[in-house]
Amino acid sequence: MTKFKTWDGLELSYRVWEGDGAPVVLQHGVVADTGANWIGMGVVRALQAAGHAVVSLDARGHGRSEKPHDASRYSWAAMAKDVRALYDELGVTEVAQVGYSMGGVISLLVAASDPRVRKLVVGGIGSGVIDCGGVDRRVIDVADLQEAMTGDGSAAPPTARMFRVLADAVHADVDAIKAVARGLDEEPIKTLDDITVPALVLAGADDPFAAEPERLAAALPDGRLVVVPGDHLLAVADPGFHAALVDFLAD
């Protein structure tokens, strides 16, 4: 892992795998990190087998990056700015941006504002982006995610408790995740019209957070959709997810 200071002085961690062409930049979901979302699920291996250069960022508050407990250090705009700061750190002129869940929303924001993004892939999100402006609050409320990170998390609703199980598995800093949840209590997506690059929506057939993914794909100016087996945590591990990602990047 390599570290750099982002735009507001936080130290963020990222990992690079060498390969050909413009790098594929990965941004994980909430609570997860590079290892849990991308390495353990086989995504990095699939991209490497196809010859791609790969870069994965641990978001602020996650993985090996710095983890302030102050909610003011977290916002969608700040996390999108971190990804663009990583582009600057790498000195790249074009990338394929890939994000899952929280990372999918971040990737949409980056693609809307940075011309270095030439292709976009988002997974684990669906019509919540259109109807709720980002996280699908019909499935989980930010307060429920905070509750899941309090004590043993047993007081939280079942959907939120799933993220506490993940947090314990990856040894996440639950106080940092609570701050993340408070900081991300907003609707960052107002329009998708500024995204003009080819985009792929990848959704698990049993993922409640990616409900009606066809609506998200249709709302993107050059969007397409692939649905694979699995729920929110396991769809990313499905071979069909890997194959669709690799095929889209090769297209």
Side-chain angles (χ1 to χ4, degrees), residues 44-69:
V44 171
R45 183 170 60 250
L47 290 170
Q48 280 277 278
H52 292 286
V54 183
V55 182
S56 182
L57 175 66
D58 279 354
R60 56 178 61 203
H62 296 74
R64 298 185 181 183
S65 289
E66 196 168 347
K67 304 176 183 66
H69 293 174

Side-chain angles (χ1 to χ4, degrees), residues 16-37:
V16 176
W17 292 265
E18 298 297 332
D20 298 326
V24 181
V25 178
L26 307 175
Q27 182 63 83
H28 60 75
V30 70
V31 179
D33 55 21
T34 291
N37 206 147

Side-chain angles (χ1 to χ4, degrees), residues 4 21 26 31 33 56-57 71 93 99 104 140 145 148 154 200 216 219 222 237:
F4 77 108
L26 307 175
V31 179
D33 55 21
S56 182
L57 175 66
T93 58
I140 189 169
L145 182 57
S154 60
L200 172 66
L216 175 57
D222 188 7

Side-chain angles (χ1 to χ4, degrees), residues 31-33 35-37 62-63 163-173 177:
V31 179
D33 55 21
N37 206 147
H62 296 74
F163 290 97
R164 178 54 185 266
V165 172
L166 176 60
D168 291 341
V170 301
H171 307 290
D173 182 332
I177 299 301

